[in-house]
Amino acid sequence: MIDELRIYTLRPGAMPRYLDLAAKVAVPVRGDRHGTLLGFWSNEVGSANSVVNLWRHESLESRQAVRKTLEALPAWREQYLAGVRPLMLRQIVRFMEAVLPLSAPATPGPHLYEQRLFRARAGEAGRLAEALARDAEPGQIALWTTFAGPINEVVQLLAHPDPAARFTRSLCGENGAMVRHAAMIEEVESSLMLAAVHSPLR
């Protein structure tokens, strides 16, 4: 299994239209026939004009095959792609292997989700991922290392019951991951996200 993380940066003001097209066109057209949707979010803090979606595939080969099938569908080309292209500034795709496979949040939603992208020092991504897995930070629901797209990264996903729960523990504070594992980290980006109406994770 591989997981595919897609991050789209949108033009300012484009978020409502993009989310509407995703919910009404993209997700119904794709279903689970073209990869399995695991989560879909809009950023609120961090890169605030970005959307994040997470898909699972059996393999890179199966992913390539279903993409070709998807791109041949008229509804995908003429309704979805034609609608979203004017809304988008750029796309970044990461292919990832799970260190801690995605699990549902322990408490009922809605949640405030947090995505952390750790850029590890050369050769340290695996060791950093193992250290973050051992820490078992409250709210952690998945952990990956990247093998294509931006590489040498660790991607961490957390689900907080509310904003206050997120800020009970600082990422850069005395006991935060940036301090405990500083020797393995070059930099980190953190984004706070809200689940879209069509996201399996809420």
Side-chain angles (χ1 to χ4, degrees), residues 72-91:
L73 296 176
W76 183 257
R77 293 193 319 270
E78 297 163 16
Q79 296 177 46
Y80 177 67
L81 291 181
V84 299
R85 280 184 180 130
L87 308 178
M88 302 177 78
L89 292 173
R90 60 186 170 272
Q91 302 170 282

Side-chain angles (χ1 to χ4, degrees), residues 110-130:
H111 297 88
L112 177 67
Y113 287 87
E114 181 177 9
Q115 175 184 260
R116 296 175 180 174
L117 304 175
F118 291 90
R119 182 176 302 160
R121 294 184 186 275
E124 295 283 19
R127 199 159 69 93
L128 175 60
E130 290 172 4

Side-chain angles (χ1 to χ4, degrees), residues 133-157:
R134 284 195 308 270
D135 282 351
E137 186 166 344
Q140 180 173 264
I141 60 171
L143 197 63
W144 300 268
T145 55
T146 60
F147 66 89
I151 60 169
N152 208 39
E153 288 187 342
V154 178
V155 180
Q156 184 182 44
L157 183 64

Side-chain angles (χ1 to χ4, degrees), residues 12 16 29 36 45 52 54 58 60 71 83 103 110 121 133 157-158 174 180 184 187 192:
V29 168
T36 302
V45 177
V52 176
L54 179 64
E58 292 292 328
L60 281 176
E71 288 161 7
S103 60
R121 294 184 186 275
L157 183 64
L158 303 100
E174 184 177 347
R180 292 194 311 279
M184 293 182 279
E187 61 181 336
L192 298 180

